[in-house]
Amino acid sequence: MKFVSHSVALSTIILSTFGFAAPLCAYGPLGHEIVGAIADERLANTVTATKIRALLDGLSLEKAGVMPDEIKGWDKNGVDDPKSFHYARHPKIDKQLRDFWQANQQIDNMNSAAPSHHWFHYADVPVLPAQKYGEGRVRRSKWDIVHMIPYCLQVLQGRMPEQNERKITKPVAIILLAHYVADIHQPLHVGTEYFDARGRLADPDKEKSALADEGGNTFALELSDESPRSRGIHSKNFHDFWDYDAVNALFQALP
């Protein structure tokens, strides 16, 4: 039950961040909700839970866990488009998330000086040859998930001012942590394979033109199965299959 360990990690981070000594997670929306919900249960009836509820204007970690993916919906038409969704019941949270999105808009150029909020969810460490995060430089940056988790902690601990360039306030930091702690436990968010122009495995440290599989997003699967799919064969990228199909199949019987 890896989801439990992810939520233990999340509740541990939150408890330690708020200064308590008590012993103490990507998946599709369902997976992120599960991680946040278990953290909610572990923090129930604690001073920490009261502080979190105040900062999040009553939102649960279960709901917070999906919000960093939900705001990607603003990328297409912008946050000010009349048809764009908003968290109308939580205007303060909505405003802070809008500021965060505007300060970290989607960018495709990895060499850009300004970061994209999409980069904060992952680190593409080469799988072959196997590496630890600190053993190389390819696809590591100060804006990847390994760096963004401590960045959020620094905001919560007061070591980073809330008026920072990334517009990560304390409420936004909790929302991001509720999501990133799940993401960093998802193998496709922290590792990738690299290929040369002929599709052969390549070492990106030796072959600078090597292309990453982008967390499985460039792998297409051909699946022949029955219900719940409406047709016999579907094409789906591997990341989506992992995020949605695998999680939903494991937990479809649970309330």
Side-chain angles (χ1 to χ4, degrees):
M1 294 291 289
K2 283 192 174 181
F3 286 116
V4 175
S5 68
H6 303 166
S7 299
V8 170
L10 175 56
S11 55
T12 298
I13 284 174
I14 293 173
L15 278 167
S16 60
T17 298
F18 282 98
F20 291 88
L24 308 175
C25 329
Y27 307 93
L30 176 60
H32 281 290
E33 288 174 351
I34 290 171
V35 173
I38 297 174
D40 282 328
E41 288 193 14
R42 290 181 60 82
L43 294 170
N45 303 316
T46 66
V47 175
T48 300
T50 302
K51 291 184 177 183
I52 291 171
R53 189 170 185 83
L55 284 171
L56 295 186
D57 191 28
L59 286 167
S60 65
L61 291 172
E62 177 180 353
K63 173 57 181 174
V66 299
M67 295 169 82
D69 276 347
E70 288 179 339
I71 65 173
K72 292 177 181 177
W74 291 336
D75 292 340
K76 185 176 181 180
N77 297 318
V79 72
D80 295 321
D81 185 276
K83 296 182 180 179
S84 292
F85 77 92
H86 289 288
Y87 302 100
R89 295 184 179 180
H90 306 276
K92 290 183 180 179
I93 298 295
D94 186 79
K95 172 64 166 58
Q96 292 179 48
L97 285 172
R98 291 172 66 185
D99 290 344
F100 167 75
W101 179 87
Q102 289 172 332
N104 306 281
Q105 293 187 41
Q106 183 178 13
I107 299 172
D108 294 326
N109 179 14
M110 290 294 289
N111 296 317
S112 170
S116 162
H117 66 98
H118 287 250
W119 305 349
F120 303 166
H121 293 241
Y122 65 89
D124 280 342
V125 178
V127 175
L128 294 174
Q131 293 183 11
K132 294 181 179 179
Y133 182 88
E135 292 176 343
R137 295 184 178 181
V138 173
R139 292 296 183 100
R140 284 85 148 175
S141 80
K142 67 176 182 178
W143 304 121
D144 66 24
I145 191 168
V146 176
H147 287 79
M148 290 310 297
I149 286 177
Y151 190 103
C152 292
L153 291 177
Q154 289 172 19
V155 172
L156 288 172
Q157 292 165 344
R159 294 188 289 120
M160 174 73 68
E162 289 190 271
Q163 300 304 316
N164 54 71
E165 276 190 311
R166 305 278 59 84
K167 301 298 183 183
I168 297 177
T169 60
K170 288 185 177 181
V172 171
I174 292 176
I175 290 168
L176 297 179
L177 280 174
H179 188 88
Y180 295 163
V181 169
D183 273 352
I184 204 169
H185 285 81
Q186 212 273 52
L188 295 177
H189 272 270
V190 291
T192 189
E193 286 188 331
Y194 290 80
F195 300 87
D196 63 18
R198 298 176 63 183
R200 298 172 302 188
L201 291 177
D203 182 346
D205 285 316
K206 297 177 180 178
E207 190 165 343
K208 302 304 180 184
S209 62
L211 300 174
D213 69 32
E214 298 180 3
N217 280 300
T218 58
F219 287 161
L221 298 180
E222 289 189 358
L223 306 172
S224 60
D225 54 12
E226 308 256 338
S227 178
R229 298 178 188 275
S230 58
R231 291 180 299 209
I233 298 178
H234 279 255
S235 292
K236 180 183 289 286
N237 75 52
F238 184 53
H239 197 126
D240 282 349
F241 177 79
W242 182 287
D243 271 6
Y244 291 88
D245 296 64
V247 173
N248 291 341
L250 287 170
F251 289 96
Q252 62 182 347
L254 298 178

